Short mmCIF file of all heavy atoms in Angstrom, two decimals:
data_model
loop_
_atom_site.label_atom_id
_atom_site.label_comp_id
_atom_site.label_asym_id
_atom_site.label_seq_id
_atom_site.Cartn_x
_atom_site.Cartn_y
_atom_site.Cartn_z
N LEU A 76 -17.07 6.12 -23.64
CA LEU A 76 -16.14 6.04 -24.76
C LEU A 76 -15.23 7.26 -24.84
O LEU A 76 -14.02 7.13 -25.04
CB LEU A 76 -16.91 5.89 -26.06
CG LEU A 76 -16.08 5.86 -27.35
CD1 LEU A 76 -15.09 4.70 -27.33
CD2 LEU A 76 -16.99 5.78 -28.58
N ALA A 77 -15.80 8.46 -24.68
CA ALA A 77 -14.98 9.67 -24.78
C ALA A 77 -13.93 9.72 -23.68
O ALA A 77 -12.78 10.11 -23.92
CB ALA A 77 -15.88 10.91 -24.72
N HIS A 78 -14.32 9.34 -22.46
CA HIS A 78 -13.40 9.30 -21.32
C HIS A 78 -12.22 8.38 -21.62
O HIS A 78 -11.06 8.76 -21.45
CB HIS A 78 -14.19 8.80 -20.10
CG HIS A 78 -13.45 8.85 -18.82
ND1 HIS A 78 -13.67 7.97 -17.78
CD2 HIS A 78 -12.47 9.68 -18.36
CE1 HIS A 78 -12.89 8.24 -16.77
NE2 HIS A 78 -12.15 9.29 -17.09
N MET A 79 -12.53 7.20 -22.11
CA MET A 79 -11.47 6.23 -22.43
C MET A 79 -10.61 6.70 -23.60
O MET A 79 -9.37 6.64 -23.55
CB MET A 79 -12.10 4.87 -22.75
CG MET A 79 -11.11 3.77 -23.08
SD MET A 79 -10.54 3.75 -24.82
CE MET A 79 -12.07 3.37 -25.68
N ALA A 80 -11.25 7.19 -24.66
CA ALA A 80 -10.52 7.55 -25.87
C ALA A 80 -9.55 8.70 -25.62
O ALA A 80 -8.40 8.67 -26.09
CB ALA A 80 -11.50 7.91 -26.98
N MET A 81 -9.98 9.71 -24.88
CA MET A 81 -9.11 10.86 -24.63
C MET A 81 -7.90 10.46 -23.79
O MET A 81 -6.76 10.82 -24.10
CB MET A 81 -9.88 11.98 -23.94
CG MET A 81 -9.04 13.22 -23.64
SD MET A 81 -8.28 13.92 -25.14
CE MET A 81 -9.74 14.55 -25.97
N ASN A 82 -8.14 9.70 -22.72
CA ASN A 82 -7.02 9.28 -21.87
C ASN A 82 -6.06 8.38 -22.63
O ASN A 82 -4.83 8.52 -22.51
CB ASN A 82 -7.54 8.56 -20.62
CG ASN A 82 -7.98 9.52 -19.54
OD1 ASN A 82 -7.69 10.72 -19.59
ND2 ASN A 82 -8.70 9.02 -18.56
N THR A 83 -6.59 7.46 -23.40
CA THR A 83 -5.73 6.53 -24.15
C THR A 83 -4.90 7.28 -25.19
O THR A 83 -3.70 7.01 -25.37
CB THR A 83 -6.57 5.45 -24.84
OG1 THR A 83 -7.38 4.78 -23.87
CG2 THR A 83 -5.68 4.42 -25.53
N PHE A 84 -5.53 8.22 -25.88
CA PHE A 84 -4.83 9.02 -26.88
C PHE A 84 -3.67 9.79 -26.26
O PHE A 84 -2.54 9.79 -26.78
CB PHE A 84 -5.81 9.99 -27.55
CG PHE A 84 -5.18 10.95 -28.51
CD1 PHE A 84 -4.73 10.52 -29.75
CD2 PHE A 84 -5.05 12.29 -28.18
CE1 PHE A 84 -4.13 11.41 -30.64
CE2 PHE A 84 -4.46 13.20 -29.06
CZ PHE A 84 -4.01 12.75 -30.30
N MET A 85 -3.92 10.43 -25.12
CA MET A 85 -2.89 11.21 -24.46
C MET A 85 -1.77 10.32 -23.90
O MET A 85 -0.59 10.67 -23.96
CB MET A 85 -3.49 12.06 -23.35
CG MET A 85 -4.40 13.17 -23.84
SD MET A 85 -3.49 14.38 -24.86
CE MET A 85 -2.36 15.04 -23.66
N ILE A 86 -2.15 9.18 -23.33
CA ILE A 86 -1.13 8.25 -22.82
C ILE A 86 -0.27 7.74 -23.96
O ILE A 86 0.95 7.59 -23.81
CB ILE A 86 -1.80 7.09 -22.06
CG1 ILE A 86 -2.37 7.60 -20.74
CG2 ILE A 86 -0.80 5.95 -21.80
CD1 ILE A 86 -3.25 6.59 -20.04
N ALA A 87 -0.88 7.48 -25.10
CA ALA A 87 -0.11 7.02 -26.27
C ALA A 87 0.92 8.06 -26.68
O ALA A 87 2.09 7.73 -26.94
CB ALA A 87 -1.05 6.70 -27.42
N LEU A 88 0.53 9.32 -26.74
CA LEU A 88 1.44 10.38 -27.17
C LEU A 88 2.53 10.66 -26.13
O LEU A 88 3.73 10.66 -26.46
CB LEU A 88 0.66 11.67 -27.44
CG LEU A 88 -0.28 11.67 -28.65
CD1 LEU A 88 -0.99 13.01 -28.75
CD2 LEU A 88 0.48 11.37 -29.94
N VAL A 89 2.11 10.90 -24.90
CA VAL A 89 3.08 11.27 -23.85
C VAL A 89 3.91 10.05 -23.43
O VAL A 89 5.13 10.15 -23.27
CB VAL A 89 2.35 11.87 -22.63
CG1 VAL A 89 3.35 12.20 -21.52
CG2 VAL A 89 1.58 13.13 -23.04
N GLY A 90 3.24 8.92 -23.26
CA GLY A 90 3.93 7.72 -22.82
C GLY A 90 4.99 7.25 -23.80
O GLY A 90 6.08 6.83 -23.40
N ARG A 91 4.67 7.34 -25.09
CA ARG A 91 5.64 6.92 -26.11
C ARG A 91 6.94 7.72 -26.00
O ARG A 91 8.04 7.15 -26.02
CB ARG A 91 5.03 7.10 -27.50
CG ARG A 91 5.94 6.69 -28.64
CD ARG A 91 5.29 6.95 -29.98
NE ARG A 91 5.10 8.39 -30.22
CZ ARG A 91 4.84 8.92 -31.41
NH1 ARG A 91 4.71 8.14 -32.47
NH2 ARG A 91 4.70 10.21 -31.56
N GLU A 92 6.81 9.02 -25.85
CA GLU A 92 8.00 9.86 -25.75
C GLU A 92 8.78 9.57 -24.46
O GLU A 92 10.01 9.48 -24.46
CB GLU A 92 7.61 11.34 -25.80
CG GLU A 92 6.95 11.77 -27.09
CD GLU A 92 7.80 11.42 -28.30
OE1 GLU A 92 9.01 11.72 -28.29
OE2 GLU A 92 7.25 10.85 -29.27
N LEU A 93 8.06 9.43 -23.36
CA LEU A 93 8.72 9.19 -22.08
C LEU A 93 9.39 7.82 -22.04
O LEU A 93 10.50 7.68 -21.52
CB LEU A 93 7.72 9.30 -20.93
CG LEU A 93 7.51 10.68 -20.32
CD1 LEU A 93 6.58 10.57 -19.13
CD2 LEU A 93 8.84 11.30 -19.91
N GLU A 94 8.71 6.81 -22.55
CA GLU A 94 9.30 5.47 -22.51
C GLU A 94 10.58 5.41 -23.34
O GLU A 94 11.55 4.76 -22.95
CB GLU A 94 8.29 4.44 -23.01
CG GLU A 94 8.81 3.01 -22.88
CD GLU A 94 7.77 1.96 -23.23
OE1 GLU A 94 6.60 2.32 -23.50
OE2 GLU A 94 8.14 0.76 -23.25
N ARG A 95 10.59 6.09 -24.46
CA ARG A 95 11.80 6.12 -25.28
C ARG A 95 12.93 6.86 -24.56
O ARG A 95 14.10 6.54 -24.75
CB ARG A 95 11.50 6.79 -26.63
CG ARG A 95 10.64 5.94 -27.54
CD ARG A 95 10.19 6.72 -28.77
NE ARG A 95 9.44 5.88 -29.69
CZ ARG A 95 8.79 6.35 -30.76
NH1 ARG A 95 8.81 7.64 -31.03
NH2 ARG A 95 8.12 5.52 -31.54
N SER A 96 12.56 7.83 -23.74
CA SER A 96 13.57 8.60 -23.00
C SER A 96 14.04 7.86 -21.74
O SER A 96 15.24 7.81 -21.45
CB SER A 96 12.99 9.97 -22.62
OG SER A 96 13.86 10.68 -21.77
N LEU A 97 13.09 7.28 -20.99
CA LEU A 97 13.42 6.65 -19.71
C LEU A 97 13.79 5.19 -19.83
O LEU A 97 14.49 4.65 -18.98
CB LEU A 97 12.22 6.79 -18.75
CG LEU A 97 11.76 8.19 -18.39
CD1 LEU A 97 10.51 8.12 -17.53
CD2 LEU A 97 12.87 8.95 -17.67
N GLY A 98 13.28 4.54 -20.86
CA GLY A 98 13.48 3.10 -21.00
C GLY A 98 12.25 2.33 -20.54
O GLY A 98 11.45 2.83 -19.74
N SER A 99 12.12 1.12 -21.03
CA SER A 99 10.92 0.33 -20.77
C SER A 99 10.92 -0.33 -19.40
O SER A 99 9.93 -0.98 -19.03
CB SER A 99 10.76 -0.75 -21.86
OG SER A 99 10.54 -0.13 -23.12
N LEU A 100 11.99 -0.20 -18.62
CA LEU A 100 12.00 -0.71 -17.25
C LEU A 100 11.57 0.38 -16.26
O LEU A 100 10.82 0.11 -15.31
CB LEU A 100 13.39 -1.23 -16.88
CG LEU A 100 13.86 -2.48 -17.61
CD1 LEU A 100 15.27 -2.85 -17.19
CD2 LEU A 100 12.91 -3.65 -17.34
N LEU A 101 12.04 1.59 -16.47
CA LEU A 101 11.73 2.69 -15.55
C LEU A 101 10.35 3.29 -15.82
O LEU A 101 9.64 3.68 -14.88
CB LEU A 101 12.80 3.77 -15.67
CG LEU A 101 12.88 4.83 -14.57
CD1 LEU A 101 13.01 4.18 -13.20
CD2 LEU A 101 14.07 5.74 -14.84
N PHE A 102 9.96 3.34 -17.07
CA PHE A 102 8.70 3.99 -17.43
C PHE A 102 7.48 3.42 -16.71
O PHE A 102 6.66 4.19 -16.19
CB PHE A 102 8.48 3.95 -18.94
CG PHE A 102 7.12 4.40 -19.36
CD1 PHE A 102 6.78 5.74 -19.34
CD2 PHE A 102 6.16 3.48 -19.76
CE1 PHE A 102 5.52 6.16 -19.71
CE2 PHE A 102 4.90 3.89 -20.13
CZ PHE A 102 4.56 5.24 -20.10
N PRO A 103 7.28 2.10 -16.67
CA PRO A 103 6.08 1.60 -15.97
C PRO A 103 6.03 1.95 -14.50
O PRO A 103 4.95 2.13 -13.94
CB PRO A 103 6.14 0.08 -16.19
CG PRO A 103 7.55 -0.21 -16.57
CD PRO A 103 8.04 1.02 -17.29
N SER A 104 7.20 2.09 -13.85
CA SER A 104 7.21 2.51 -12.46
C SER A 104 6.70 3.94 -12.33
O SER A 104 5.94 4.27 -11.40
CB SER A 104 8.64 2.41 -11.89
OG SER A 104 9.10 1.08 -11.90
N VAL A 105 7.11 4.79 -13.26
CA VAL A 105 6.65 6.18 -13.25
C VAL A 105 5.13 6.24 -13.42
O VAL A 105 4.43 6.96 -12.71
CB VAL A 105 7.35 6.98 -14.37
CG1 VAL A 105 6.70 8.35 -14.56
CG2 VAL A 105 8.83 7.13 -14.06
N TYR A 106 4.61 5.44 -14.35
CA TYR A 106 3.16 5.41 -14.58
C TYR A 106 2.43 4.89 -13.35
O TYR A 106 1.46 5.50 -12.88
CB TYR A 106 2.86 4.51 -15.78
CG TYR A 106 1.39 4.46 -16.13
CD1 TYR A 106 0.83 5.38 -17.01
CD2 TYR A 106 0.56 3.49 -15.58
CE1 TYR A 106 -0.51 5.35 -17.32
CE2 TYR A 106 -0.79 3.45 -15.89
CZ TYR A 106 -1.31 4.38 -16.76
OH TYR A 106 -2.65 4.34 -17.07
N LEU A 107 2.90 3.79 -12.80
CA LEU A 107 2.25 3.17 -11.64
C LEU A 107 2.25 4.09 -10.43
O LEU A 107 1.20 4.31 -9.80
CB LEU A 107 2.94 1.86 -11.30
CG LEU A 107 2.45 1.13 -10.04
CD1 LEU A 107 1.01 0.69 -10.21
CD2 LEU A 107 3.35 -0.05 -9.72
N PHE A 108 3.40 4.66 -10.10
CA PHE A 108 3.48 5.50 -8.91
C PHE A 108 2.68 6.79 -9.08
O PHE A 108 2.09 7.29 -8.12
CB PHE A 108 4.93 5.81 -8.57
CG PHE A 108 5.73 4.60 -8.19
CD1 PHE A 108 7.09 4.50 -8.51
CD2 PHE A 108 5.14 3.54 -7.52
CE1 PHE A 108 7.82 3.38 -8.16
CE2 PHE A 108 5.88 2.41 -7.16
CZ PHE A 108 7.22 2.34 -7.48
N SER A 109 2.64 7.33 -10.30
CA SER A 109 1.82 8.52 -10.55
C SER A 109 0.35 8.20 -10.32
O SER A 109 -0.39 8.98 -9.68
CB SER A 109 2.03 9.03 -11.98
OG SER A 109 3.34 9.51 -12.17
N GLY A 110 -0.10 7.06 -10.83
CA GLY A 110 -1.49 6.67 -10.65
C GLY A 110 -1.84 6.41 -9.21
O GLY A 110 -2.92 6.80 -8.73
N LEU A 111 -0.94 5.76 -8.48
CA LEU A 111 -1.19 5.49 -7.07
C LEU A 111 -1.16 6.77 -6.24
O LEU A 111 -1.91 6.92 -5.27
CB LEU A 111 -0.17 4.48 -6.54
CG LEU A 111 -0.32 3.05 -7.07
CD1 LEU A 111 0.82 2.17 -6.55
CD2 LEU A 111 -1.67 2.45 -6.67
N GLY A 112 -0.28 7.71 -6.62
CA GLY A 112 -0.27 9.01 -5.96
C GLY A 112 -1.58 9.73 -6.17
O GLY A 112 -2.10 10.39 -5.24
N ALA A 113 -2.15 9.61 -7.36
CA ALA A 113 -3.45 10.21 -7.63
C ALA A 113 -4.53 9.56 -6.77
O ALA A 113 -5.40 10.24 -6.22
CB ALA A 113 -3.79 10.07 -9.11
N SER A 114 -4.48 8.23 -6.65
CA SER A 114 -5.46 7.51 -5.83
C SER A 114 -5.38 7.96 -4.37
O SER A 114 -6.40 8.14 -3.70
CB SER A 114 -5.22 6.00 -5.92
OG SER A 114 -5.51 5.51 -7.21
N TYR A 115 -4.15 8.15 -3.88
CA TYR A 115 -3.99 8.59 -2.49
C TYR A 115 -4.62 9.97 -2.29
O TYR A 115 -5.31 10.20 -1.28
CB TYR A 115 -2.51 8.61 -2.11
CG TYR A 115 -2.29 9.16 -0.71
CD1 TYR A 115 -2.65 8.41 0.41
CD2 TYR A 115 -1.76 10.43 -0.52
CE1 TYR A 115 -2.47 8.92 1.69
CE2 TYR A 115 -1.58 10.94 0.75
CZ TYR A 115 -1.93 10.18 1.85
OH TYR A 115 -1.78 10.68 3.11
N ALA A 116 -4.38 10.87 -3.21
CA ALA A 116 -4.95 12.21 -3.08
C ALA A 116 -6.47 12.16 -3.06
O ALA A 116 -7.12 12.88 -2.29
CB ALA A 116 -4.46 13.10 -4.22
N VAL A 117 -7.05 11.29 -3.87
CA VAL A 117 -8.51 11.18 -3.92
C VAL A 117 -9.07 10.66 -2.61
O VAL A 117 -10.01 11.22 -2.05
CB VAL A 117 -8.94 10.27 -5.10
CG1 VAL A 117 -10.43 9.94 -5.00
CG2 VAL A 117 -8.64 10.94 -6.43
N VAL A 118 -8.51 9.55 -2.10
CA VAL A 118 -9.09 8.96 -0.88
C VAL A 118 -8.86 9.85 0.34
O VAL A 118 -9.64 9.80 1.29
CB VAL A 118 -8.56 7.54 -0.62
CG1 VAL A 118 -9.00 6.59 -1.74
CG2 VAL A 118 -7.04 7.52 -0.46
N GLU A 119 -7.82 10.65 0.32
CA GLU A 119 -7.58 11.57 1.44
C GLU A 119 -8.43 12.83 1.34
O GLU A 119 -8.98 13.30 2.35
CB GLU A 119 -6.09 11.95 1.49
CG GLU A 119 -5.20 10.92 2.16
CD GLU A 119 -5.31 10.94 3.68
OE1 GLU A 119 -6.29 11.51 4.22
OE2 GLU A 119 -4.42 10.39 4.34
N MET A 120 -8.52 13.40 0.16
CA MET A 120 -9.11 14.72 0.02
C MET A 120 -10.56 14.72 -0.49
O MET A 120 -11.29 15.68 -0.29
CB MET A 120 -8.25 15.56 -0.94
CG MET A 120 -6.79 15.68 -0.52
SD MET A 120 -6.57 16.35 1.15
CE MET A 120 -7.25 17.98 0.96
N ASN A 121 -10.96 13.65 -1.16
CA ASN A 121 -12.31 13.60 -1.73
C ASN A 121 -12.87 12.18 -1.60
O ASN A 121 -13.25 11.57 -2.59
CB ASN A 121 -12.26 14.02 -3.20
CG ASN A 121 -13.54 14.64 -3.67
OD1 ASN A 121 -14.41 14.99 -2.88
ND2 ASN A 121 -13.69 14.79 -4.97
N PRO A 122 -12.92 11.65 -0.38
CA PRO A 122 -13.14 10.22 -0.19
C PRO A 122 -14.53 9.71 -0.55
O PRO A 122 -14.69 8.52 -0.82
CB PRO A 122 -12.87 10.02 1.31
CG PRO A 122 -13.16 11.36 1.93
CD PRO A 122 -12.71 12.35 0.90
N LEU A 123 -15.53 10.58 -0.56
CA LEU A 123 -16.90 10.11 -0.77
C LEU A 123 -17.39 10.31 -2.20
O LEU A 123 -18.58 10.16 -2.47
CB LEU A 123 -17.84 10.82 0.22
CG LEU A 123 -17.55 10.53 1.69
CD1 LEU A 123 -18.53 11.25 2.58
CD2 LEU A 123 -17.56 9.03 1.97
N VAL A 124 -16.48 10.63 -3.10
CA VAL A 124 -16.83 10.78 -4.51
C VAL A 124 -16.22 9.62 -5.30
O VAL A 124 -15.00 9.49 -5.35
CB VAL A 124 -16.35 12.12 -5.08
CG1 VAL A 124 -16.64 12.21 -6.57
CG2 VAL A 124 -17.00 13.28 -4.35
N PRO A 125 -17.03 8.76 -5.92
CA PRO A 125 -16.48 7.66 -6.74
C PRO A 125 -15.65 8.21 -7.89
O PRO A 125 -16.02 9.19 -8.53
CB PRO A 125 -17.74 6.95 -7.25
CG PRO A 125 -18.83 7.35 -6.31
CD PRO A 125 -18.50 8.74 -5.88
N THR A 126 -14.51 7.57 -8.13
CA THR A 126 -13.56 8.06 -9.13
C THR A 126 -13.03 6.91 -9.97
O THR A 126 -12.84 5.80 -9.47
CB THR A 126 -12.37 8.76 -8.43
OG1 THR A 126 -12.87 9.78 -7.57
CG2 THR A 126 -11.42 9.38 -9.45
N ALA A 127 -12.78 7.18 -11.24
CA ALA A 127 -12.19 6.17 -12.12
C ALA A 127 -11.47 6.88 -13.26
O ALA A 127 -11.80 8.01 -13.61
CB ALA A 127 -13.26 5.23 -12.68
N GLY A 128 -10.48 6.20 -13.81
CA GLY A 128 -9.80 6.73 -14.99
C GLY A 128 -8.29 6.81 -14.83
O GLY A 128 -7.77 6.85 -13.72
N ALA A 129 -7.62 6.87 -15.97
CA ALA A 129 -6.16 6.91 -16.00
C ALA A 129 -5.60 8.32 -15.99
O ALA A 129 -4.39 8.51 -16.10
CB ALA A 129 -5.66 6.18 -17.26
N SER A 130 -6.46 9.33 -15.83
CA SER A 130 -5.98 10.70 -15.97
C SER A 130 -5.01 11.11 -14.87
O SER A 130 -4.14 11.95 -15.09
CB SER A 130 -7.15 11.68 -16.05
OG SER A 130 -8.01 11.52 -14.94
N GLY A 131 -5.16 10.55 -13.65
CA GLY A 131 -4.20 10.87 -12.60
C GLY A 131 -2.80 10.44 -12.98
O GLY A 131 -1.83 11.20 -12.84
N ALA A 132 -2.68 9.21 -13.49
CA ALA A 132 -1.39 8.74 -13.97
C ALA A 132 -0.90 9.58 -15.14
O ALA A 132 0.30 9.89 -15.25
CB ALA A 132 -1.49 7.26 -14.38
N LEU A 133 -1.81 9.97 -16.01
CA LEU A 133 -1.45 10.80 -17.16
C LEU A 133 -0.87 12.13 -16.73
O LEU A 133 0.12 12.61 -17.29
CB LEU A 133 -2.68 11.00 -18.04
CG LEU A 133 -2.52 11.99 -19.21
CD1 LEU A 133 -1.42 11.53 -20.16
CD2 LEU A 133 -3.85 12.14 -19.95
N TYR A 134 -1.47 12.77 -15.71
CA TYR A 134 -0.94 14.04 -15.22
C TYR A 134 0.48 13.85 -14.66
O TYR A 134 1.33 14.74 -14.80
CB TYR A 134 -1.86 14.63 -14.16
CG TYR A 134 -2.94 15.51 -14.75
CD1 TYR A 134 -3.96 14.97 -15.52
CD2 TYR A 134 -2.93 16.89 -14.55
CE1 TYR A 134 -4.95 15.76 -16.07
CE2 TYR A 134 -3.91 17.70 -15.10
CZ TYR A 134 -4.92 17.13 -15.86
OH TYR A 134 -5.89 17.93 -16.42
#
Side-chain angles (χ1 to χ4, degrees):
L76 177 60
H78 187 210
M79 181 277 295
M81 180 58 69
N82 278 347
T83 304
F84 174 73
M85 292 298 295
I86 289 170
L88 291 179
V89 177
R91 180 182 66 164
E92 298 305 312
L93 271 185
E94 185 174 355
R95 289 171 176 172
S96 173
L97 299 175
S99 296
L100 292 178
L101 195 55
F102 171 74
S104 297
V105 169
Y106 182 89
L107 175 64
F108 295 147
S109 294
L111 290 176
S114 292
Y115 175 72
V117 169
V118 295
E119 279 283 17
M120 304 304 297
N121 208 13
L123 297 181
V124 176
T126 305
S130 54
L133 173 60
Y134 271 69

